[in-house]
Amino acid sequence: MRVVIAEDNALLREGLVLLLTSAGHEVVAVAGTGPEILPALLEHHPDAAVLDVRMPPDFRDEGLRAALAARKEMPGLPVLVLSQYVEQSYAAELLGGGASGLGYLLKDRVGRVDEFLDALERVAGGGTALDPEVVTELLTRRRDSPLDSLTPREREVLSLMAEGHDNATIAKTLVVTERAVHKHIGNVFLKLGLPQSDSGHRRVLAVLAYLNNAQRG
């Protein structure tokens, strides 16, 4: 996998380079400031980009802006955004253009090497990888919505779906059967008025689309 990294912290940036190259990936470019990101992405057309949200010179949303601009120029560019904290508005804006090939992780997750690499590969494959804390924020921000009709178990299943997990992983995490998970997913889709699809990433994208629209409403 060819990857572009944008991170202003030199130690973390070099750590990411080492981590990815050790896992067999190729880091084709690194950026240390916001203005460097888009040119690097347009030049290399990577298989995925790992971008910090806040970058120099202003440390506001330079990484996010570059990600959004890049996906306009290169539709479907897989982007894994890293952030120090859960920032609802950033997550909402990122998901607003479609959830395919997108990830939003807290930087703490990078230290969990297997989880981080799995998230990156999932995003590069067109899937979704949302940090559990981001999912929690999206689920709890909006009140008086169809989300309120979900049972606690259905909300757990929805959260795990939004993180990008398949039925087998959800079943193992919740210590239930896959048949039970399938039933819960059907109930979630019914209550949220979503298409009755339980295959591949389609169900994750549908859920994320709903969450994005709900929390913007």
Side-chain angles (χ1 to χ4, degrees):
M1 184 192 313
R2 300 171 64 257
V3 184
V4 167
I5 296 174
E7 167 59 54
D8 66 288
N9 183 297
L11 184 60
L12 179 55
R13 185 171 63 243
E14 292 306 311
L16 285 168
V17 171
L18 179 61
L19 174 61
L20 292 176
T21 54
S22 297
H25 304 303
E26 178 186 3
V27 178
V28 295
V30 295
T33 67
E36 297 175 31
I37 301 173
L38 185 57
L41 293 173
L42 293 177
E43 177 183 352
H44 294 281
H45 283 256
D47 299 312
V50 179
L51 310 178
D52 187 6
V53 168
R54 298 187 177 192
M55 298 280 289
D58 298 322
F59 294 97
R60 298 180 65 182
D61 59 358
E62 289 83 357
L64 176 67
R65 293 294 163 209
L68 295 173
R71 281 173 68 91
K72 285 184 179 179
E73 296 286 339
M74 297 177 284
L77 171 69
V79 174
L80 179 58
V81 171
L82 302 178
S83 180
Q84 192 70 40
Y85 311 101
V86 177
E87 308 202 46
Q88 295 174 345
S89 60
Y90 291 165
E93 191 159 5
L94 185 67
L95 294 172
S100 177
L102 284 177
Y104 188 113
L105 296 182
L106 296 183
K107 288 187 177 181
D108 288 347
R109 302 289 169 187
V110 176
R112 303 175 186 179
V113 175
D114 290 341
E115 289 185 24
F116 172 73
L117 291 175
D118 178 67
L120 180 59
E121 290 173 5
R122 196 156 64 235
V123 168
T128 306
L130 289 188
D131 194 284
E133 291 190 35
V134 174
V135 174
T136 298
E137 290 284 350
L138 292 175
L139 282 171
T140 59
R141 184 179 181 190
R142 174 75 183 270
R143 298 298 180 185
D144 299 322
S145 78
L147 290 174
D148 295 333
S149 67
L150 301 182
T151 66
R153 177 62 84 188
E154 289 165 357
R155 291 174 72 90
E156 288 179 318
V157 169
L158 177 58
S159 293
L160 291 169
M161 286 170 60
E163 289 170 31
H165 298 299
D166 58 21
N167 285 13
T169 302
I170 294 174
K172 183 177 179 181
T173 301
L174 299 180
V175 194
V176 297
T177 65
E178 288 190 48
R179 182 176 180 180
V181 170
H182 182 81
K183 181 178 180 181
H184 288 310
I185 290 173
N187 290 338
V188 168
F189 279 19
L190 180 63
K191 292 180 180 180
L192 301 186
L194 295 171
Q196 290 290 324
S197 172
D198 186 24
S199 59
H201 294 298
R202 198 178 314 159
R203 49 80 173 277
V204 178
L205 301 183
V207 170
L208 288 174
Y210 175 83
L211 291 177
N212 179 55
N213 290 333
Q215 58 87 41
R216 286 195 303 172

